Amino acid sequence: MADVLPLVEARLCSALGEPDARAAVTFLGTERIEVLRFQDTGPEGPVVRYATLGMSAQPMSDPAAMLADPFAGPRAELILSVRGGLAETDKVLRPLAVLAASPQVEGVVVAPGASLDVGEPLWPSAPFTSVLVAEPGGLVEDLELDEPLDPVRFLPLLPMTPNEAAWKRVHGAEALQERWLANGTDLRDPSRRSVPLD
């Protein structure tokens, strides 16, 4: 079976360019998680993208399953995009690695519509402690693997304020995304305020 991670890194680089920095985090009892940083100087100003590398090495398995299947099961990596130069967003590396390790550590299956909470600001003085997992396919296309392996999906993370996270628990992910859209919320703004929720 081919090693998945070199293929994942190649897909990230083909979509986002070469990373300008990378950091590795290892948690007890888990495989190493790397976080790659990509700089994008687009027409709307600089955007920094952080992508995990290592989460997709193993398939995510249902925590209720007696035995984890070593081949079958969803595989994913996480991508966070923020406007560059407005906050100390490089400190998000460890929280991102924690989220990427959660399938191995806690047996969770990370999927679109889920909320992931790190229990602390994503970076110093960030108004966000959690993220909404968005639908894949926009920024980086799914990476098809040989049968019987599931494809690797690249899941965008959208930072949520505590109020937004609480509102999403009641009304659902789709309703929160519609609220963001209706208000023209800049989800890449690292210091944005909560969207009006009345």
Side-chain angles (χ1 to χ4, degrees), residues 91 94-95 98 117-123 126-130:
K91 299 281 175 62
R94 186 169 177 79
V98 168
D117 197 314
V118 295
E120 61 184 28
L122 291 175
W123 52 82
F128 321 106
T129 59
S130 62

Side-chain angles (χ1 to χ4, degrees), residues 6-94:
L7 302 174
V8 170
E9 183 168 358
R11 174 57 57 91
L12 284 168
C13 291
S14 70
L16 305 176
E18 286 299 315
D20 72 336
R22 62 199 306 150
V25 182
T26 306
F27 303 99
L28 191 62
T30 68
E31 294 181 30
R32 187 169 87 146
I33 302 284
E34 286 191 274
V35 179
L36 281 52
R37 185 181 72 188
F38 300 88
Q39 302 276 1
D40 180 1
T41 51
E44 299 172 25
V47 172
V48 186
R49 304 190 197 282
Y50 301 94
T52 63
L53 179 63
M55 182 177 171
S56 61
Q58 303 292 332
M60 294 182 275
S61 57
D62 184 341
M66 290 295 286
L67 281 173
D69 188 313
F71 303 116
R75 293 175 188 257
E77 296 290 355
L78 308 174
I79 299 179
L80 174 71
S81 300
V82 289
R83 297 211 174 277
L86 302 178
E88 286 184 83
T89 55
D90 279 355
K91 299 281 175 62
V92 79
L93 298 178
R94 186 169 177 79

